[in-house]
Amino acid sequence: MAGCAARAPPGSEARLSLATFLLGASVLALPLLTRAGLQGRTALALYVAGLNALLLLLYRPPRYQIAIRACFLGFVFGCGMLLSFSQSSWNHFGWYMCSLSLFHYSEYLVTAVNNPKSLSLDSFLLNHSLEYTVAALSSWIEFTLENIFWPELKQITWLSATGLLMVVFGECLRKAAMFTAGSNFNHVVQNEKSETHTLVTSGVYAWFRHPSYVGWFYWSIGTQVMLCNPICGVGYALTVWRFFRDRTEEEEISLIHFFGEEYLEYKKRVPTGLPFIKGVKVEL
């Protein structure tokens, strides 16, 4: 796992990432440059070059690695906002860009605030897996092709709004789970119990055993509903269901090993929250 080198003062990574995310999001001011007489592509090229020069000037590794990722995500968020308010068939893709960039950035920010000991560059989840990257690329290709040949399919506003609500619900639930779990939350399934590891059963964990997975499940499907992607919509639903089925079973084996009867009692009382997924089977 890529690290952030020597431990910086508490909260410094969070402040650094927030400042550079907002710096990247300042692309929202780009229309002002075009009104000043610069062509769109020229203004964009100058803006990107200026941003990178500024980051190189202000930060050195490893802080530059944090800054460039947060700034990139802020840039994508800002571009998504501009696209969302454009009068084109791509405006719902702008919603998607905002949702995607905010998800990845907030994963890092919440980890930096909530559990800094486990913080690393991987906390952005930008290199989650090859499968995740292929799935994202597939959804972009489907949207582009369908927008070219069947543009009316991408203008079903009520369906995109439904997807946006799913995304907001999933994002809020996942972040609530991360905050509730505190230092017990980790992006990697733990095989060894730390001294501070406790079983969290309050807050959103009183509703679902795996609220962060439930949130991510509905967030990922919601992105495809938002894009009105019928093929990836079905593909995402099947793929993420299988992923979280296996992930839940893997995690619950560790949790039963860590907490024994305490977790088994909790497992009886509270569902996973994921449709048709009951978790690992325990033979008594």
Side-chain angles (χ1 to χ4, degrees):
M1 182 180 291
C4 291
R7 180 55 54 200
S12 64
E13 291 100 338
R15 291 190 294 271
L16 167 63
S17 69
L18 182 58
T20 48
F21 179 86
L22 294 175
L23 181 63
S26 66
V27 70
L28 285 165
L30 194 62
L32 298 177
L33 296 178
T34 58
R35 290 173 189 170
L38 289 175
Q39 293 185 348
R41 292 182 180 179
T42 303
L44 182 60
L46 289 173
Y47 176 84
V48 172
L51 270 186
N52 191 47
L54 181 61
L55 294 179
L56 286 169
L57 181 65
L58 293 176
Y59 306 110
R60 294 290 180 269
R63 293 172 66 81
Y64 175 78
Q65 278 74 20
I66 299 171
I68 194 66
R69 287 164 173 79
C71 188
F72 167 74
L73 291 171
F75 177 80
V76 174
F77 180 84
C79 289
M81 288 291 290
L82 291 174
L83 201 55
S84 297
F85 291 100
S86 67
Q87 301 298 319
S88 75
S89 59
W90 286 83
N91 62 328
H92 292 156
F93 195 83
W95 297 6
Y96 168 82
M97 291 172 66
C98 291
S99 303
L100 185 66
S101 58
L102 193 59
F103 170 79
H104 283 283
Y105 171 66
S106 61
E107 289 290 306
Y108 183 89
L109 180 63
V110 174
T111 303
V113 172
N114 214 37
N115 189 14
K117 290 184 178 179
S118 69
L119 185 68
S120 77
L121 292 177
D122 286 344
S123 300
F124 283 108
L125 298 185
L126 292 173
N127 57 340
H128 181 271
S129 65
L130 176 61
E131 292 80 3
Y132 182 86
T133 302
V134 170
L137 289 173
S138 298
S139 71
W140 305 345
I141 292 171
E142 179 182 353
F143 183 91
T144 301
L145 292 176
E146 290 173 352
N147 194 38
I148 293 172
F149 295 105
W150 302 284
E152 65 279 1
L153 179 64
K154 301 306 178 184
Q155 294 303 307
I156 309 176
T157 303
W158 68 266
L159 185 59
S160 291
T162 301
L164 180 60
L165 289 175
M166 291 174 66
V167 164
V168 172
F169 166 76
E171 177 78 6
C172 290
L173 179 59
R174 180 168 171 84
K175 295 311 180 287
M178 293 175 71
F179 275 118
T180 303
S183 62
N184 295 289
F185 184 91
N186 200 299
H187 284 119
V188 179
V189 174
Q190 303 297 292
N191 295 316
E192 294 183 6
K193 182 182 177 183
S194 67
E195 294 181 358
T196 59
H197 200 168
T198 59
L199 179 62
V200 180
T201 59
S202 59
V204 290
Y205 286 86
W207 308 342
F208 312 122
R209 293 204 306 275
H210 301 280
S212 67
Y213 294 165
V214 176
W216 201 351
F217 178 82
Y218 287 107
W219 178 90
S220 61
I221 297 174
T223 61
Q224 300 312 299
V225 176
M226 183 194 303
L227 293 175
C228 300
N229 278 353
I231 298 174
C232 283
V234 174
Y236 268 52
L238 295 175
T239 302
V240 297
W241 183 88
R242 182 175 180 179
F243 172 80
F244 285 121
R245 180 199 62 186
D246 296 342
R247 179 79 172 231
T248 296
E249 292 181 357
E250 177 188 359
E251 184 170 309
E252 290 196 338
I253 290 173
S254 295
L255 290 170
I256 292 171
H257 176 69
F258 294 165
F259 302 107
E261 192 64 31
E262 184 183 5
Y263 186 79
L264 292 175
E265 287 298 319
Y266 172 62
K267 186 175 185 296
K268 291 178 183 177
R269 298 194 315 269
V270 180
T272 65
L274 294 159
F276 309 109
I277 296 178
K278 296 184 178 180
V280 68
K281 295 181 180 179
V282 180
E283 296 183 1
L284 302 176

